[in-house]
Amino acid sequence: MIVRSGLIRKKPDWSMDDFRRHWREKHGPLAAKLPGLRRYEQNHVTDSVQRGITFNRGPEHLDGFSMLWFDSMEDMKAAMATEAGRALVADENHFIGDLRIVAIDQVEVIPPEKNRTLIKRMSLLRRIPEVPVDTFVHEWRVEHARLVRRLKGVRGYRQNLIVGREAPKGTPVDYAAMPIDGIVELWFDDPESLNAAFGSPQGATLMMHAREFISEITTFLVESHVIV
């Protein structure tokens, strides 16, 4: 399974309410027509405060994250080359001001709990420049995942390792042009439980470990909508 994620900024002349409404009610049904699409989720940014942690924040300013699941990279590329894919691009040009795409390899460390109201925090990670990619992957997916499992109040945790980059959409670029290594998805009951988790001794240990291999963590609270 491969996930195609869009890092989205709205056009400046669109209000946030109009942007969110169009994305969900007009754009969502267009994306749902893509052949081979297994799942489609929109994450509308509601808060860009560095909640729960004291850490270097990157320069990213986003209004949303899209996530589209396909069986393979080939299926994903084929879907975007269809008439449905072209219609999707035409609509993107209508209301999105900046759209960059990342292909991600996703690991669900703690499956999000269902049938309860949760908040979701998404974060962009950038590794310390001197840390090799292989070291970053090991520290994040093995050691850091182990420490996150110790946090009280975590209701879900996904790690999304970036394996491809397009900036803007359709133009492949290297790491230097888009220095983001991963996207984190974390679920909690509420902001208070998020703050309590990272303010605990386990949270302090977690962030101490993060400083060994991560240079920037840029956090956003999001409102998620599953379209497909």
Side-chain angles (χ1 to χ4, degrees), residues 25 72 128 140 205 219 223:
E25 298 178 4
S72 66
I128 294 172
W140 187 31
T205 299
T219 71
E223 181 182 280

PDB file of all heavy atoms in Angstrom, residues 25 72 128 140 205 219 223:
ATOM      1  N   GLU A  25     -16.932  19.381  -0.015  1.00  0.00           N
ATOM      2  CA  GLU A  25     -18.188  19.109  -0.720  1.00  0.00           C
ATOM      3  C   GLU A  25     -18.041  19.008  -2.236  1.00  0.00           C
ATOM      4  O   GLU A  25     -18.836  18.313  -2.884  1.00  0.00           O
ATOM      5  CB  GLU A  25     -19.211  20.199  -0.370  1.00  0.00           C
ATOM      6  CG  GLU A  25     -19.568  20.240   1.109  1.00  0.00           C
ATOM      7  CD  GLU A  25     -20.549  21.349   1.439  1.00  0.00           C
ATOM      8  OE1 GLU A  25     -21.006  22.048   0.493  1.00  0.00           O
ATOM      9  OE2 GLU A  25     -20.860  21.536   2.629  1.00  0.00           O
ATOM     10  N   SER A  72      -0.482   0.477  -4.972  1.00  0.00           N
ATOM     11  CA  SER A  72       0.920   0.582  -5.384  1.00  0.00           C
ATOM     12  C   SER A  72       1.183   1.954  -5.985  1.00  0.00           C
ATOM     13  O   SER A  72       0.241   2.702  -6.321  1.00  0.00           O
ATOM     14  CB  SER A  72       1.257  -0.487  -6.427  1.00  0.00           C
ATOM     15  OG  SER A  72       0.543  -0.246  -7.633  1.00  0.00           O
ATOM     16  N   ILE A 128      18.006  15.907  11.708  1.00  0.00           N
ATOM     17  CA  ILE A 128      19.253  16.651  11.851  1.00  0.00           C
ATOM     18  C   ILE A 128      20.105  16.386  10.608  1.00  0.00           C
ATOM     19  O   ILE A 128      20.244  15.229  10.180  1.00  0.00           O
ATOM     20  CB  ILE A 128      19.995  16.212  13.124  1.00  0.00           C
ATOM     21  CG1 ILE A 128      19.168  16.610  14.365  1.00  0.00           C
ATOM     22  CG2 ILE A 128      21.390  16.816  13.182  1.00  0.00           C
ATOM     23  CD1 ILE A 128      19.723  16.063  15.665  1.00  0.00           C
ATOM     24  N   TRP A 140      13.436   6.508  14.473  1.00  0.00           N
ATOM     25  CA  TRP A 140      12.018   6.880  14.486  1.00  0.00           C
ATOM     26  C   TRP A 140      11.122   5.642  14.588  1.00  0.00           C
ATOM     27  O   TRP A 140      10.246   5.564  15.439  1.00  0.00           O
ATOM     28  CB  TRP A 140      11.700   7.682  13.228  1.00  0.00           C
ATOM     29  CG  TRP A 140      10.323   8.268  13.194  1.00  0.00           C
ATOM     30  CD1 TRP A 140       9.575   8.679  14.262  1.00  0.00           C
ATOM     31  CD2 TRP A 140       9.533   8.535  12.029  1.00  0.00           C
ATOM     32  NE1 TRP A 140       8.361   9.188  13.838  1.00  0.00           N
ATOM     33  CE2 TRP A 140       8.324   9.110  12.477  1.00  0.00           C
ATOM     34  CE3 TRP A 140       9.743   8.359  10.668  1.00  0.00           C
ATOM     35  CZ2 TRP A 140       7.315   9.494  11.586  1.00  0.00           C
ATOM     36  CZ3 TRP A 140       8.745   8.754   9.779  1.00  0.00           C
ATOM     37  CH2 TRP A 140       7.542   9.316  10.235  1.00  0.00           C
ATOM     38  N   THR A 205      11.181  12.017  28.326  1.00  0.00           N
ATOM     39  CA  THR A 205      12.121  11.039  27.765  1.00  0.00           C
ATOM     40  C   THR A 205      11.963  10.945  26.254  1.00  0.00           C
ATOM     41  O   THR A 205      12.947  10.865  25.507  1.00  0.00           O
ATOM     42  CB  THR A 205      11.890   9.654  28.399  1.00  0.00           C
ATOM     43  OG1 THR A 205      12.105   9.750  29.810  1.00  0.00           O
ATOM     44  CG2 THR A 205      12.839   8.621  27.807  1.00  0.00           C
ATOM     45  N   THR A 219       3.992  21.280  14.231  1.00  0.00           N
ATOM     46  CA  THR A 219       2.740  20.622  14.580  1.00  0.00           C
ATOM     47  C   THR A 219       1.508  21.416  14.143  1.00  0.00           C
ATOM     48  O   THR A 219       1.525  22.651  14.072  1.00  0.00           O
ATOM     49  CB  THR A 219       2.649  20.369  16.095  1.00  0.00           C
ATOM     50  OG1 THR A 219       2.456  21.619  16.772  1.00  0.00           O
ATOM     51  CG2 THR A 219       3.900  19.693  16.616  1.00  0.00           C
ATOM     52  N   GLU A 223      -8.812  18.701  11.697  1.00  0.00           N
ATOM     53  CA  GLU A 223     -10.142  18.080  11.724  1.00  0.00           C
ATOM     54  C   GLU A 223     -10.216  17.136  10.540  1.00  0.00           C
ATOM     55  O   GLU A 223     -10.087  17.563   9.387  1.00  0.00           O
ATOM     56  CB  GLU A 223     -11.214  19.161  11.617  1.00  0.00           C
ATOM     57  CG  GLU A 223     -12.631  18.652  11.647  1.00  0.00           C
ATOM     58  CD  GLU A 223     -13.630  19.788  11.488  1.00  0.00           C
ATOM     59  OE1 GLU A 223     -13.885  20.485  12.497  1.00  0.00           O
ATOM     60  OE2 GLU A 223     -14.118  20.021  10.362  1.00  0.00           O
TER      61      GLU A 223
END
